[in-house]
Amino acid sequence: MTKRARVAVLISGRGSNMAALIYAARASDCAYQVALVTGDRPDAPGLDLAAAEGVRVERLNYEKVHFFQRLHASLCDQSIDVIALAGFMRILPADFVARWAGRIVNIHPSLLPKHRGLNTHHAVLAAGETVTGCTVHEVTAVLDEGPILGFTEVAVLPGDSVESLDERVRIAEHQLYPRLLAEFCARRSRQII
Ligand code: GRF
């Protein structure tokens, strides 16, 4: 097998997608390894989980001026190939995206291009949709845009609440993200060789 891509996962919260990415990478034929977990909140619960799973963690504090420079330095220190956003709640500045162009992916809890931004499940219910889902896409400077790598549809049930929908969409996310990240990394390594 070719060298595994070194992935940094960026989180702000509980990190259930991060956990799915870490556990999927335990398969010996997975095209990536999680080399770093970091984010904008040193107390994010997901960081404790990553550390307990033996993954390198950096607890950065968000501050307006230097945060993305410090993040960039940490990513370079760890020879990161690909960044996977997993519930990272900061908008990436255009210069950061440009430095990592073609190497950042994100998961969003809707069928993009529908329902970009926050409060997606609420928007899905308010619109009376019968199907929603999650989407993995490459990150560009425009929020929740960028080439779509794949998606999973999830049925909206009568009586669904934001919470019940969130729970089911997240099950789909945990299947979709590791698979598409691995495919993305495998494609990249074939292009580089
Ligand atoms: C997920 O719903 C993901 O789609 C969105 O943020 C949430 C992160 O959840 N980008 P978790 O921290 O991975 O549980």
Side-chain angles (χ1 to χ4, degrees):
M1 196 176 85
T2 49
K3 207 171 137 280
R4 289 172 166 222
R6 292 176 62 76
V7 167
V9 184
L10 267 54
I11 65 169
S12 297
R14 71 176 186 176
S16 71
N17 279 283
M18 170 213 77
L21 295 177
I22 289 173
Y23 298 137
R26 291 196 171 151
S28 57
D29 61 348
C30 185
Y32 69 87
Q33 60 176 302
V34 179
L36 177 68
V37 175
T38 187
D40 60 329
R41 280 186 45 204
D43 60 344
L47 297 180
D48 295 334
L49 175 62
E53 294 294 359
V55 177
R56 184 186 180 89
V57 163
E58 286 199 26
R59 294 177 191 270
L60 299 181
N61 252 315
Y62 183 76
E63 31 81 29
K64 226 174 185 167
V65 192
H66 296 303
F67 176 77
F68 282 97
Q69 285 168 19
R70 288 175 54 213
L71 176 61
H72 176 74
S74 296
L75 299 170
C76 293
D77 276 356
Q78 293 306 313
S79 306
I80 295 303
D81 300 305
V82 170
I83 301 171
L85 306 180
F88 182 65
M89 299 303 287
R90 302 279 169 186
I91 293 178
L92 305 180
D95 60 335
F96 182 89
V97 175
R99 281 167 135 174
W100 291 89
R103 299 201 281 157
I104 315 176
V105 296
N106 181 42
I107 185 152
H108 184 78
S110 78
L111 293 176
L112 289 173
K114 279 186 171 177
H115 309 299
R116 296 187 174 111
L118 297 174
N119 302 318
T120 39
H121 303 313
H122 184 271
V124 164
L125 293 173
E129 313 259 18
T130 54
V131 178
T132 184
C134 51
T135 307
V136 173
H137 65 98
E138 281 187 48
V139 171
T140 60
V142 185
L143 183 69
D144 297 331
E145 281 221 9
I148 289 176
L149 299 172
F151 60 88
T152 299
E153 290 185 349
V154 172
V156 180
L157 304 182
D160 253 336
S161 61
V162 167
E163 291 73 27
S164 63
L165 207 48
D166 179 64
E167 194 179 318
R168 244 175 20 263
V169 168
R170 224 168 288 222
I171 293 170
E173 291 185 353
H174 298 167
Q175 311 281 322
L176 182 72
Y177 206 4
R179 180 167 62 80
L180 293 186
L181 177 62
E183 288 175 8
F184 179 79
C185 291
R187 263 199 312 278
R188 266 200 89 243
S189 73
R190 282 197 296 273
Q191 284 159 8
I192 289 166
I193 288 165

